[in-house]
Amino acid sequence: MNARIPSLAALIVLLLASASISYAQTESVGAQADARQAWIKKIFILLVSKKALPPGAAGQSGTAKVKFVIDRQGKLISRELVESAGSEILDTAALTLIERAEPFPEPPAEVRDDSFTFTVPIKFASRKQLPWAVGQWPAEWVDEQKKINSKIHGICRGC
């Protein structure tokens, strides 16, 4: 009976050790996934900030899919149009967007690859031109702004 207790204790210690190792590995995998997601989010935010509708594309809309590859330093290696937006101007704008975004954020240390491939949809939406965008503001807005200006000048007197 006494010989069984040490072997039972050793078995319990072994089970606990393996459980804690697998828990630590699970935490590590979770942290790695979080770091990768945060990095991908930075790339997405960068792309959105560089997006612009080209002047010749007024009234056009569509979604172009672009595949691009970057290295560990965030340098653009290649880019290609995977799916057209239906307009050569929008397709060119999508490819130019990827170039303008360089350099991309560097990947976290937890991500081990040497290069990274992304395929992103880039949506261009035509915007309706507001009636006063050509220089004419709605009359009620003009009247309201005059009232506000007179109140401000009445309070401030020369500010």
Side-chain angles (χ1 to χ4, degrees), residues 78-119:
S78 68
R79 61 170 177 60
E80 68 176 290
L81 187 67
V82 176
E83 187 178 307
S84 174
S87 164
E88 188 175 333
I89 294 172
L90 296 180
D91 293 344
T92 302
L95 291 170
T96 304
L97 163 66
I98 302 299
E99 290 176 357
R100 265 196 321 266
E102 188 180 14
F104 291 91
E106 292 184 13
E110 295 89 0
V111 181
R112 303 269 185 228
D113 299 332
D114 291 332
S115 65
F116 308 92
T117 303
F118 299 94
T119 302

Side-chain angles (χ1 to χ4, degrees), residues 4 9 15-16 20 24 28 30-31 38 65 69 73 82 90 93 111 121 127 129 133 135 138 143-145 153 156:
R4 287 178 136 185
L15 288 173
L16 288 175
S20 66
S28 174
K65 284 189 181 176
V69 181
Q73 288 72 41
V82 176
L90 296 180
V111 181
R127 296 183 183 154
Q129 192 170 25
D143 293 340
E144 186 66 28
Q145 190 60 46
H153 290 300
C156 187

Side-chain angles (χ1 to χ4, degrees), residues 7-154:
S7 62
L8 184 59
L11 181 61
I12 291 172
V13 168
L14 183 63
L15 288 173
L16 288 175
S18 66
S20 66
I21 291 170
S22 70
Y23 177 72
Q25 288 172 347
T26 304
E27 271 189 349
S28 174
V29 169
Q32 182 180 8
D34 289 345
R36 183 177 178 89
Q37 285 301 107
W39 171 60
I40 291 171
K41 185 176 180 180
K42 286 180 187 177
I43 291 173
F44 177 74
I45 290 169
L46 176 66
L47 290 173
V48 169
S49 74
K50 299 295 182 177
K51 188 172 137 186
L53 187 65
Q60 295 183 28
S61 63
T63 302
K65 284 189 181 176
V66 178
K67 178 180 174 182
F68 65 98
V69 181
I70 61 173
D71 65 10
R72 287 207 64 80
Q73 288 72 41
K75 182 180 174 192
L76 182 64
I77 296 172
S78 68
R79 61 170 177 60
E80 68 176 290
L81 187 67
V82 176
E83 187 178 307
S84 174
S87 164
E88 188 175 333
I89 294 172
L90 296 180
D91 293 344
T92 302
L95 291 170
T96 304
L97 163 66
I98 302 299
E99 290 176 357
R100 265 196 321 266
E102 188 180 14
F104 291 91
E106 292 184 13
E110 295 89 0
V111 181
R112 303 269 185 228
D113 299 332
D114 291 332
S115 65
F116 308 92
T117 303
F118 299 94
T119 302
V120 294
I122 301 171
K123 184 176 183 176
F124 295 98
S126 63
R127 296 183 183 154
K128 292 181 180 178
Q129 192 170 25
L130 300 173
W132 56 86
V134 290
Q136 294 296 324
W137 290 93
E140 60 272 6
W141 286 21
V142 173
D143 293 340
E144 186 66 28
Q145 190 60 46
K146 284 180 183 177
K147 290 177 188 176
I148 292 169
N149 287 343
S150 66
K151 286 181 183 180
I152 289 173
H153 290 300

